[in-house]
Structures are given as C-alpha cells and as structure tokens.
Amino acid sequence: MSSGRIRVAGAGELGEAERERWRALRAASEAPRNPFMEPEFTEAVGRVRPQARVAVVYEGLEPAGFLPYERGRWGQGRAIGLGVSDAQGAILRPGLDLETGELLRACSVSSFAFDNLEAEQRLFVRYAAEEYATFVIDIEKGYETYESVLRAQSPKFLKTTLAKERRLGRQVGEPRFVFDERDPAALRTLMEWKSAQYRRTGRRDRFAQEWITRLVGRLAGTRAPECSGTLSVLYAGERPVAAHFGLRSASVLACWFPAYDPEFSKYSPGLVLHLRMAEAAAAEGIGMLDLGRGAAEYKDALKTGELPVYEGAVTRPGAGAALHWLSREPARRAHSFVRGRPRLAALAARTLKGAARLRRT
C-alpha cells in the first residue's frame, strides 16, 4: 500500500538499503540505542504476528522515516510488539515535517497505542496519558565504577549479595556465569521458570501465548550488531540457578525476561546474575543496562538512574477513536488509580498471589 509520500510494507519486506537507512537514522537519534527499536526486532515480530507493518516516509526518493506498528481487526493500530516491547516509537530524520493524522491515514489505522514510548518521540509524546520510569544501570565507566556507586548508595546490599554468591559456591557448587549461552535447553529452562513465576504471583503467563514463545525463540538466534538475542545463565557447578534473556545493541543491554530457580532463593541468585551481567556487559563495551518499566525491589537495589517512558495513544476523529477509548481507557485508568495508592496496590498484589494459590489447589 502507499499514500502519497508514505509507503506501507510488511514487516519483513524492506530492502537492505531501507534497513540501512533505518539504522543510520537510529544512530543519529538522541535516544539510547535500544535494540527494540532496530529493524531486526520488527522483522522478528513480523514472523509471528501477520499484521505487523512498517510505514516508510519518503522525502523524494530517500526514506526519511519509519514507523513499525501492528494493525488490529477493527483498524486500531499499536506499537510493534505492544505488551512485550520495552522501547517504542518512530524512527525519523530530525526535523522531518510529518503530522500524526497523515501518518495514521496512510497506515489505515484509527489509532496508534503505545505503552513504552521513548521520551525523544516528539511526534507522539504530547498524546501520552501516563509517564513512567524505566530503571537503568550506568556502566559507561566500567563495572568497578558501578560497584563503587553501589557501595556508596547501598553498601549493605552489595556486601550481602556478594556474601550470598560465596555461600552459593560453598554449599551448592562453584558459581559460573555465561553471558551469551547458546544451549537451547537453558532457554527452555528459563521460560519454564518464568511461567512458574507468573503463575505463582497471579500474573498472566506471557509464555502461554504462542507468539511470544516463538518470538523469543527467533530472537535467540538473531545476531546483528545492534540487535542480538542474549541468554545469560548463572550456574552453581553444572546446575543453572538463574537466567535472563534479553536483547543487546553495541551500547545497551535491554533486560527482558529474568528468572531463577526458587529452590535457591536464599542465595538471591537473580541479584547475583544481574551483577555478573553488568560486569560482562561493561567488558563488552556496553554502557547501559535497561531494566525496564515497572517498580521492583531488585531494580531499586541495582539502578543508578531512571529514564521516562510514556503510555497513551494518538487517535483520528471518528468511530475508531471511540472504539479505542472503550477498549483501553477504563482499564488503564483503573490501573493508574491503584498504582497511585500504595496501600491499595499492596492489597491488589496480595489478592493476585492468593488467587494464584487457589488456582493451584
């Protein structure tokens, strides 16, 4: 499809020259080089989500912008991989003259929803309904500098975690860390742990959705300079005790699916894993770990800073806008109401865990 200066293609239909232009525009962006914003992630989603598309904006014969998105049954649009992608938006030439109405019309969508929109997305940020923090670990100056920051801001945490790592070695087996594990069995183990964690905490099991399992499988085999699937595993002896699957570029490790074996929880293997990931990433020249949106105790302990991300939607006037509001806004507002009241949020978390226990009995 095409509409004036905008061409819409399937997620896997871009030519190599277009993909190179995408990468060049991304490299020129002020935003961190998050691998979720690279063409390889969009192409992988396209393999498992048939409605994945890319709008290509031209200036003359030269591509000047790209918007990866998915088109729903009723013409509603959403960011590519919405629900699992941790960085979203358009890849545009700085200063490109483009209106959201023109873009949505060309895409044949009545709305474009996002839940992890980058702060630099000037085209869409003004339509955000909520701002959230994504937590980051700065390792630009090396792992030793990061450790010194941890010692200053949380000395007890670092001392306790390192002591637990040593105890793990004495009582279970010598700790061994693999930053880029290629064993498919280790990835299956991680997904089993993560599914069990979702069920244990009363949350929706992402790996019960076939497309997410297939997407992770495809990305595990992706090896590109700015988007490479990375499975990291912490072993005690020969036994895996914690693992993480994420995506990395040359400068950012996007943390995605961490989990550990509950049998070894007293050793805090997930925290040990993240410290070793930070150490290995720094050795690879990576400058930042993006822990993602959503509050968690381990993120508070590990983070050195925060970046804003946004949730919301831009809509075109008409019935499609009303349909988007009815399908998403009541739930979003309810979630926002609960999050803004810590006692209510704690009660909701306990209720979810209780419901999970009931389902297991």
Side-chain angles (χ1 to χ4, degrees):
M1 290 191 300
S2 64
S3 177
R5 62 175 178 151
I6 300 175
R7 178 176 72 91
V8 175
E13 294 176 356
L14 298 184
E16 185 54 34
E18 291 172 313
R19 292 194 294 271
E20 282 302 314
R21 178 60 174 161
W22 178 325
R23 296 182 187 106
L25 290 172
R26 188 62 188 166
S29 170
E30 298 173 357
R33 194 76 185 262
N34 195 299
F36 284 102
M37 295 293 289
E38 298 297 322
E40 289 80 11
F41 178 74
T42 291
E43 290 167 8
V45 174
R47 295 286 187 178
V48 299
R49 304 278 284 180
Q51 296 303 314
R53 301 283 184 270
V54 179
V56 186
V57 185
Y58 288 87
E59 287 182 319
L61 299 177
E62 178 82 354
F66 302 85
L67 176 68
Y69 70 99
E70 296 178 50
R71 186 178 187 277
R73 178 184 296 180
W74 307 110
Q76 294 173 286
R78 47 188 262 168
I80 195 81
L82 186 81
V84 295
S85 57
D86 285 350
Q88 299 158 359
I91 299 87
L92 304 174
R93 180 187 65 74
L96 177 66
D97 182 21
L98 181 65
E99 295 293 332
T100 55
E102 176 189 8
L103 187 56
L104 266 59
R105 281 193 299 274
C107 295
S108 299
V109 295
S110 58
S111 59
F112 176 73
F114 47 84
D115 62 4
N116 276 287
L117 185 76
E118 292 181 322
E120 292 75 13
Q121 295 285 328
R122 297 180 180 89
L123 187 64
F124 299 118
V125 163
R126 64 182 181 273
Y127 300 102
E130 299 278 355
E131 177 181 323
Y132 298 94
T134 186
F135 303 96
V136 300
I137 297 174
D138 182 358
I139 50 172
E140 187 70 39
K141 296 180 180 178
Y143 179 73
E144 291 75 14
T145 300
Y146 170 56
E147 265 204 359
S148 68
V149 171
L150 286 183
R151 285 194 179 93
Q153 70 184 23
S154 184
K156 183 179 179 181
F157 159 74
L158 182 60
K159 182 179 180 181
T160 301
T161 303
L162 294 178
K164 288 181 177 180
E165 182 180 24
R166 292 191 294 270
R167 194 180 312 135
L168 176 69
R170 291 193 303 269
Q171 298 179 355
V172 182
E174 187 65 24
R176 179 172 64 90
F177 175 75
V178 180
F179 183 51
D180 191 7
E181 176 65 85
R182 303 297 179 91
D183 184 357
L187 182 59
R188 290 194 296 271
T189 296
L190 167 61
M191 290 192 286
E192 289 169 3
W193 285 344
K194 198 67 181 177
S195 288
Q197 178 191 340
Y198 286 135
R199 295 192 298 270
R200 191 167 60 247
T201 56
R203 302 183 185 279
R204 178 171 56 90
D205 180 3
R206 287 181 171 178
F207 289 117
Q209 300 181 70
E210 183 186 2
W211 76 270
I212 295 178
T213 300
R214 292 171 57 206
L215 176 63
V216 167
R218 284 192 169 276
L219 288 168
T222 299
R223 296 289 182 269
E226 301 299 339
C227 183
S228 182
T230 304
L231 173 65
S232 300
V233 183
L234 177 68
Y235 294 91
E238 294 304 313
R239 182 166 182 175
V241 295
H244 165 268
F245 179 77
L247 303 176
R248 63 172 162 164
S249 68
S251 55
V252 176
L253 173 59
C255 301
W256 205 10
F257 293 110
Y260 62 87
D261 187 337
E263 181 181 343
F264 302 98
S265 59
K266 67 180 181 181
Y267 303 104
S268 299
L271 292 174
V272 175
L273 172 77
H274 277 82
L275 290 179
R276 296 299 147 243
M277 284 166 52
E279 183 178 31
E284 294 275 333
I286 292 170
M288 185 178 80
L289 271 67
D290 185 339
L291 300 175
R293 166 186 152 181
E297 287 186 15
Y298 81 92
K299 294 182 184 181
D300 285 335
L302 293 163
K303 73 178 183 179
T304 59
E306 302 176 0
L307 296 174
V309 292
Y310 298 90
E311 180 177 325
V314 53
T315 61
R316 293 166 56 195
L323 181 61
H324 167 82
W325 195 95
L326 289 171
S327 65
R328 295 188 67 89
E329 281 299 301
R332 187 194 62 76
R333 292 190 179 190
H335 290 159
S336 179
F337 181 84
V338 171
R339 282 192 302 268
R341 291 157 177 81
R343 291 181 62 185
L344 192 56
L347 176 61
R350 289 197 298 271
T351 301
L352 282 172
K353 290 181 180 179
R357 286 193 296 269
L358 286 173
R359 284 198 296 270
R360 292 198 299 269
T361 58

